[in-house]
Amino acid sequence: MNGEIYGNTAEIANRLVAKTYQKVCTGLAITGVIMTLMAVFMTKWVMSMGITTSLLILVVALGLMFALSRSVTNDNTNASTTNTIYYLMTILFGVSLSPVLIYYDVKTIGLAMLGTAVMFGGLTFYANTTKRDFIGFGAYLTWGLLAAIVLSLVSMIFHIALLYILVDVVMLVIFAVFIIFDTQSVKRFADSVQSEEQLQKYSTIGALSIYLDILNIFQILLELIGMGDNRD
């Protein structure tokens, strides 16, 4: 049984992409609202967030990601549960990112948001119009990201500023390609869709991947643009 039994595969792919981007935008909006509320009304708590809080958020996020992945493949889990997990994650990331609204100035944040929006728009357009297949890049992107993370840790431990900047630039390129890869992956899901319920689930897992790509691009641009900012 394949996507063509449920409907035309090309039509399903278009619906998947549209639904995915709808959830991406909703997730980003939720994260933005949570970041703002935390920074404005819980400033002292946000500024006191330490390594323990960050690790706790990371553990919870990984747990939710695992639960989301399981819910997509579990026929006994409905789409509303999958959506709920996704939106809980966007709230959690809003909490974890709230310090940037305090530690960076408005101009830096605005430029990072603008740069992220331009990159996302351009890469999305390219992913939906190019005939080049980026699906085979998955393994290379993953290994490249792992290598970049290791080098980033090295640069922080040994205080190598130039290496840190170079790693940020490399990671920016990696996540840019990830947006193309993840967008094309969403289209591939159309071959597996057999019901509306599955369409909703696949659009959610696709939305999470692209949402995380965008957040990472925003954070990298924020670091690169805000290097001259005075921080507490």
Side-chain angles (χ1 to χ4, degrees):
M1 194 172 188
N2 54 42
E4 292 184 352
I5 294 177
Y6 171 62
N8 180 274
T9 304
E11 179 184 346
I12 293 174
N14 290 333
R15 288 186 60 204
L16 265 173
V17 171
K19 181 61 68 174
T20 296
Y21 285 139
Q22 178 185 337
K23 291 179 180 180
V24 169
C25 292
T26 302
L28 291 172
I30 291 173
T31 298
V33 169
I34 296 299
M35 288 173 64
T36 304
L37 291 176
M38 294 290 295
V40 173
F41 297 106
M42 300 183 67
T43 307
K44 290 185 178 180
W45 185 85
V46 170
M47 293 181 69
S48 67
M49 287 173 60
I51 186 66
T52 302
T53 303
S54 298
L55 287 175
L56 178 60
I57 290 175
L58 177 61
V59 170
V60 175
L62 290 174
L64 288 173
M65 288 178 68
F66 177 75
L68 179 60
S69 298
R70 289 292 301 272
S71 70
V72 171
T73 57
N74 188 345
D75 293 335
N76 295 322
T77 305
N78 56 40
S80 61
T81 300
T82 304
N83 288 334
T84 299
I85 296 172
Y86 167 66
Y87 290 122
L88 282 174
M89 292 186 69
T90 65
I91 293 173
L92 187 65
F93 284 119
V95 174
S96 67
L97 287 173
S98 57
V100 306
L101 298 184
I102 297 173
Y103 297 136
Y104 291 95
D105 63 37
V106 175
K107 181 181 178 181
T108 298
I109 295 171
L111 287 174
M113 291 178 64
L114 177 61
T116 303
V118 170
M119 287 185 66
F120 174 56
L123 291 165
T124 299
F125 176 79
Y126 177 76
N128 284 295
T129 56
T130 184
K131 293 182 180 180
R132 184 172 184 180
D133 190 350
F134 281 78
I135 299 300
F137 284 57
Y140 299 107
L141 290 170
T142 301
W143 283 110
L145 180 59
L146 290 174
I149 291 173
V150 171
L151 288 175
S152 179
L153 292 174
V154 170
S155 69
M156 287 189 289
I157 293 172
F158 295 100
H159 305 287
I160 308 174
L162 180 59
L163 178 59
Y164 191 83
I165 294 172
L166 290 174
V167 170
D168 264 0
V169 173
V170 170
M171 291 183 74
L172 188 64
V173 174
I174 290 174
F175 282 111
V177 180
F178 256 124
I179 286 183
I180 301 172
F181 169 82
D182 288 329
T183 299
Q184 291 188 347
S185 295
V186 170
K187 289 185 172 182
R188 290 289 182 92
F189 290 153
D191 293 326
S192 303
V193 172
Q194 301 174 22
S195 65
E196 184 67 23
E197 190 83 3
Q198 285 189 336
L199 187 147
Q200 293 290 335
K201 286 184 175 183
Y202 283 127
S203 66
T204 303
I205 194 69
L208 175 62
S209 297
I210 297 172
Y211 167 88
L212 291 175
D213 295 338
I214 294 171
L215 283 194
N216 278 290
I217 287 175
F218 172 69
Q219 290 182 83
I220 294 169
L221 288 176
L222 200 58
E223 289 181 2
L224 291 173
I225 297 171
M227 283 182 175
D229 285 4
N230 293 319
R231 306 177 199 179
D232 295 332

